[in-house]
Amino acid sequence: MVATILVPPIMEIGGGAVQRLGAVLARLGVKRPLLVTDPYMRDSGLADRVLTGLRSAGIDAGLFADTVPDPTTGVIAAGAGRLREGGYDGMVALGGGSPIDTAKAMAVLAANGGRLRDYKVPNPIPKPGMPVVAIPTTAGTGSEVTRFTVITDTETDEKMLIAGPGLVPAAAIIDFELTLSCPPRLTADTGIDALTHAIEAYVSVKANPFTDAMAIAAMGRIAPWIRTACADPADRVARENMMLGATLAGMAFSNASVALVHGMSRPIGAFFHVPHGLSNAMLLPAVTAWSLPGAITRYADCARAIGAAGPGQDDEAAAGELVAALRRLNDDLQVPTPKQYGIDPARWDSLLTLMAEQALASGSPNNNPRVPDVAEMVALYRESWE
Ligand SMILES: [Fe+2]
């Protein structure tokens, strides 16, 4: 099997890397970037710090700070308008997964016109967009290195997956110091998202030896440090391991795809506005348990990589330990069930079939080592309810 591996051509990795932004833009030939971020980054002063740094490097950047969690088609359209009117030749995306996904989608829309839903999977994206430099401030989505963006279509409430080689950022600046102020809940949710990326990339039917290496390395960094990063946000060792783990997991799933957890998680986010990492976490133990028979050795490898099973345990026992460890992690990080989250049970019930159909249409469940039909997905949603 020949695997096509795509990663950003430039990655600056380490504490303080954000200071290299001006040099990175110069290497890319970007002279007039638009900084894409969210109101929190603007109000916390981080966006200003970045703009000031750019100004002292002789770069006059614009600011678009209107990104929202679970980015919507409306915000993307507004941002693409700003891009066109301002004569910008690149973007700097600063924040969690949402601002980075927003910038990527703005680039698609600005280059290709039309509506964003024209480019959702499996449709191709005809023209590559302008370069995006991604600077994550959470250790989670991996969007800084992936070929994906996920945008909610406000007309249909669908979380659309949009994918293509042109969506890989031109550069990623991976500076764990930017995560030191990330609050515990966000650290937990985004950290479990990253762990899910690593596990799903490793068990994906599209996995390959290159992504395997990154996925296993990611699990080995995230699992031992996620509790510390939540309990002691200023712990630099924990933060650096989480950041490296999230980026490795991002490269793994960008090149091997995610699977059933992500497929089923997106509709929960779209209909009930549950943060992405949290909706993954709600599903991860039950979906993993159901999927075990499809790839028992692979799941056993995951158990060993996160330290949940020893080398002496056979695959069956080790894979069982993985599910137990994922349940413990949810308990320790106080992940609520959909019921505890406050989702209306009647609405949940009435939407389950549609959610399963949307999950199937996204293509992600087909990458799972055991592929469910709609009825089996509905049963898994029900199992995860409480
Ligand atoms: Fe994710």
Side-chain angles (χ1 to χ4, degrees):
M1 184 180 111
V2 175
T4 302
I5 305 295
L6 294 173
V7 296
I10 302 172
M11 282 187 265
E12 301 283 351
I13 303 175
V18 72
Q19 288 156 22
R20 305 261 177 98
L21 176 58
V24 167
L25 289 168
R27 267 172 80 182
L28 293 170
V30 173
K31 294 195 169 58
R32 189 170 158 69
L34 180 64
L35 178 63
V36 176
T37 191
D38 60 29
Y40 175 78
M41 289 293 147
R42 181 194 56 208
D43 299 341
S44 72
L46 187 57
D48 261 344
R49 225 180 88 199
V50 169
L51 288 172
T52 306
L54 287 178
R55 227 170 279 128
S56 63
I59 298 170
D60 187 22
L63 176 66
F64 179 75
D66 297 336
T67 72
V68 294
D70 297 328
T72 60
T73 40
V75 170
I76 308 303
R82 275 289 299 283
L83 266 186
R84 277 191 298 266
E85 289 154 17
Y88 297 101
D89 60 354
M91 278 180 275
V92 175
L94 174 74
S98 298
I100 299 175
D101 274 9
T102 299
K104 290 175 169 186
M106 283 165 58
V108 169
L109 203 59
N112 294 279
R115 295 168 314 170
L116 215 44
R117 80 175 69 144
D118 301 336
Y119 311 110
K120 82 173 177 183
V121 166
N123 296 346
I125 300 164
K127 287 187 225 153
M130 63 179 67
V132 172
V133 178
I135 310 176
T137 58
T138 61
T141 68
S143 184
E144 70 277 6
V145 293
T146 73
R147 61 178 90 179
F148 305 112
T149 179
V150 178
I151 304 297
T152 301
D153 189 332
T154 31
E155 279 175 41
T156 59
D157 261 356
E158 182 185 5
K159 269 198 168 188
M160 302 182 293
L161 179 64
I162 298 166
L167 286 174
V168 178
I173 296 181
I174 295 145
D175 184 342
F176 74 88
E177 290 179 359
L178 302 181
T179 68
L180 289 169
S181 54
C182 184
R185 184 72 259 156
L186 189 58
T187 301
D189 296 348
T190 52
I192 298 183
D193 184 30
L195 183 64
T196 308
H197 295 153
I199 294 173
E200 294 214 283
Y202 191 74
V203 303
S204 165
V205 296
K206 294 180 183 160
N208 57 72
F210 191 87
T211 57
D212 285 351
M214 291 186 290
I216 290 289
M219 288 177 230
R221 286 187 184 273
I222 297 164
W225 291 105
I226 187 168
R227 289 172 175 86
T228 310
C230 294
D232 182 5
D235 189 309
R236 294 175 63 87
V237 178
R239 291 297 196 179
E240 182 158 28
N241 275 287
M242 290 298 294
M243 196 65 162
L244 289 172
T247 296
L248 286 163
M251 290 193 287
F253 91 83
S254 183
N255 293 288
S257 294
V258 282
L260 184 55
V261 177
H262 271 75
M264 290 179 58
S265 165
R266 286 182 211 108
I268 297 181
F271 288 113
F272 303 105
H273 305 288
V274 179
H276 170 68
L278 203 52
S279 55
N280 283 342
M282 287 169 174
L283 296 167
L284 184 58
V287 170
T288 302
W290 185 84
S291 305
L292 289 189
I296 199 87
T297 305
R298 292 242 138 199
Y299 283 109
D301 290 343
C302 295
R304 294 178 192 114
I306 69 167
Q313 280 176 293
D314 66 26
D315 286 353
E316 193 108 4
E321 294 293 348
L322 175 66
V323 176
L326 295 175
R327 293 197 200 284
R328 276 197 305 276
L329 186 62
N330 275 7
D331 285 345
D332 291 351
L333 299 182
Q334 294 166 329
V335 172
T337 61
K339 182 184 177 188
Q340 289 163 341
Y341 191 76
I343 289 175
D344 175 56
R347 185 149 186 263
W348 170 264
D349 258 3
S350 71
L351 284 169
L352 290 184
T353 301
L354 178 60
M355 284 159 59
E357 285 166 357
Q358 287 189 354
L360 205 58
S362 76
S364 302
N366 290 321
N367 304 323
N368 209 56
R370 186 179 175 201
V371 181
D373 58 24
V374 167
E376 286 168 316
M377 273 192 268
V378 168
L380 282 167
Y381 278 129
R382 287 194 202 284
E383 194 186 328
S384 305
W385 168 250
E386 62 179 324

